[in-house]
């Protein structure tokens, strides 16, 4: 069956991973989106048009991460890779710990899924498997795919996830700096082993954090304490480290967003977000963009676009 003329629109949310103690396990989808339209053409290859974040910076040919993820998905289900035209409207900051690379991967997979509707079936488990193969960690892609709060793990049968609904009282705030940090650099600072008491500490806080996010937002401050990764990565982003310390000293449940350098503050009411923003502006010498964001509950979506006459 020819795909020529098929077109889909994809929308994928930003994500924040770890959430403090939930290292490589917990993730949250945020209401900030990259959107794209992909159209199949007769000629092979790809052309990419980017608007917003990444315009003039990211590749605009087959090496583009969205295109590569889409091609990988076609090959994974045994279908020939078509030529495509792609138009992207990006809002998620790059290199800031908000899942931009995972979002690009999920965007390509969802585009392939939409274009292959009626030809190949890609269910939820396969979506997560393909995304994890490309990204490396299920906690980074599960919330982008499925929305809400996700717990991700890897079993003998491959990556798995559990989606949970977030308490309506949780009000996320993301503070985004002008500087960037690569995930590879952040991970290189992690020790191979940690003290037993630190591991036990994080197990307790991770369990408490799930309860705080789903049932008891008043526990968010205590439940976001961490001893596994943030202190080790602090030397690579001292401005982030120092601002988190100031926020937590003032009682705000602030953590590194993903690998950083953005900061996630899991407030328990909207007014607290304004207070945290004011504090950040008053104590930091760096410039931070304040993004008060809702939790995204839908995850990635794809819809077919009617053929144009």
């Amino acid at each position: 069956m020819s795909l020529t003329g098929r077109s889909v629109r994809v929308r994928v949310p930003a994500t924040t991973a770890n959430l403090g103690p939930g290292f490589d396990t917990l993730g949250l989808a945020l209401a900030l989106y990259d959107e794209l339209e992909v159209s199949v053409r007769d000629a092979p290859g790809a052309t990419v048009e980017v608007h917003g974040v990444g315009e003039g910076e990211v590749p605009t040919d087959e090496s583009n991460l969205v295109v590569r993820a889409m091609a990988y998905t076609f090959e994974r289900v045994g279908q020939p890779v078509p030529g495509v035209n792609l138009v992207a409207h990006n809002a998620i900051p790059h290199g800031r710990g908000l899942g931009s690379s995972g979002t690009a991967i999920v965007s390509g997979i969802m585009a392939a899924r939409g274009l292959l509707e009626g030809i190949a079936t890609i269910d939820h488990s396969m979506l997560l498997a393909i995304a994890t193969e490309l990204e490396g960690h299920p906690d980074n892609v599960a919330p982008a795919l499925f929305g809400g709060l996700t717990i991700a793990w890897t079993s003998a049968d491959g990556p798995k996830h559990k989606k949970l609904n977030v308490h309506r009282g949780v009000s996320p705030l993301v503070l985004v700096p002008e500087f960037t940090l690569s995930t590879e650099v952040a991970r290189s600072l992690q020790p191979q082993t940690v003290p037993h008491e630190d591991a036990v500490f994080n197990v307790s806080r991770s369990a408490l954090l799930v309860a705080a996010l789903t049932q008891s937002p008043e526990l968010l401050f205590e439940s976001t304490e961490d001893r596994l990764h943030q202190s080790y990565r602090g030397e690579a982003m001292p401005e982030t480290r120092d601002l988190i310390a100031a926020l937590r000293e003032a009682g705000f449940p602030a953590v590194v967003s993903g690998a950083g350098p953005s900061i996630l503050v899991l407030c328990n009411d909207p007014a607290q977000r304004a207070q945290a923003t004011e504090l950040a502006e008053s104590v930091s010498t760096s410039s931070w963009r304040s993004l008060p964001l809702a939790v995204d509950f839908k995850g990635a979506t794809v819809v077919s676009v009617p053929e144009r006459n």
Side-chain angles (χ1 to χ4, degrees), residues 280-292:
E281 291 173 349
S282 66
V283 303
S284 179
T285 56
S286 300
S287 176
W288 298 80
R289 181 159 61 111
S290 176
L291 297 177

Side-chain angles (χ1 to χ4, degrees), residues 84-174:
V84 295
N85 295 324
L86 187 153
V87 180
H89 296 270
N90 296 337
I92 301 171
H94 290 179
R96 303 302 205 286
L98 288 170
S100 60
S101 61
T103 297
I105 288 168
V106 169
S107 295
I109 296 169
M110 292 299 292
R113 185 193 201 194
L115 292 172
L116 288 167
E117 186 175 357
I119 299 172
T121 300
I122 304 176
D123 61 16
H124 279 192
S125 62
M126 183 174 284
L127 284 173
L128 184 59
I130 295 172
T132 303
E133 289 165 16
L134 289 168
E135 209 283 334
H137 296 275
D139 64 302
N140 291 330
V141 290
L145 282 166
F146 308 117
L149 169 67
T150 57
I151 305 170
W153 69 98
T154 302
S155 70
D157 300 324
K160 303 287 182 66
H161 85 286
K162 174 63 179 178
K163 175 182 176 180
L164 300 171
N165 289 325
V166 178
H167 191 284
R168 66 193 308 171
V170 176
S171 301
L173 169 70
V174 180

